Amino acid sequence: MTELFGFPLPLLLGQLMLGLVNGAFYAMLSLGLAVIFGLMDVVNFAHGAFFMMGAMFAWMGGQYLHLNFWWMLLFAPLLVGLFGIGVERVALRRLRGIDPIYGLLLTFGLTLLIEGVFRSFFGVAGAPYNPPELLSATLNLGFMYLPAYYLFAVVASLLVCFGTWLLIDRTKLGAYLRAGTENPALIQAFGVNFPRMVMLTFGFGSALAGLAGVLAAPVIQVSPLMGSNLIIVVFAIVVIGGMGSVLGAIVSGLALGLIEGLAKVFYSPVSNTVVFILMALVLTMRPAGLFGKEK
């Protein structure tokens, strides 16, 4: 069988594979956003900027410090996470308990500030970031030639996503986090330092965005504007999965990547808007999202 629905089978399989690569990045970005919203009720519009910072730090580390990809895979998310901790300590902590719209406006302004700083130093033209030599080969899958780095990025993203889900869903720390979303005063009564837990959670969510940026750097052009092109799509994915749902963010991100891949085959013009069509359909039938809980 060489055709399916009138399209060559290798074309469909190739687009599904590329969609899985995009979906892995969507899932990791959505995961960090869902973790932050689930505990803090903060719609972190700066998440795309943190993604960009991870990629830019990786590029800068190679360009100026001659550090290879593997070192920057460790250092760049750490730097972004520390920056996120600073943002929570200095700014977001002061907004706790008031209307969430102020957090959204603050992080939106922070996005403009971060992008403006990087744009003033590096401009808006994209810069290439080569994958490590170990992963520079190309794999023959029979229906397409796939760069080995793409496969590594997918596997690494999935391991991080499901490892985070297990941490939150199956450990004592995760139980504290889930309890904190429902009743912060109760877990503080058990001796848990809730403000510190919130600070570290925001840092962890920011680091996830930075890690996604490092993994995406060899796949897409590194640019100060790369995060702003993704953040609206990532917000839509989080809404589809259910605001604050970690599993929903992972499943929805992966599913959207695959659906986008198929849309490019069947009707290419709709591929850029399919996420918003899905969001409208899901919210019509289930306002809390696929994995969200009605309040």
Side-chain angles (χ1 to χ4, degrees), residues 27-37 47 201 204-206 208-209 249:
M28 188 179 292
L29 270 173
S30 304
L31 173 65
L33 201 60
V35 167
I36 290 171
F37 181 85
H47 207 66
T201 299
F204 178 69
S206 303
L208 284 176

Side-chain angles (χ1 to χ4, degrees), residues 192-209:
V192 177
N193 190 329
F194 184 69
R196 180 182 297 171
M197 186 169 69
V198 169
M199 177 187 72
L200 294 177
T201 299
F202 191 85
F204 178 69
S206 303
L208 284 176

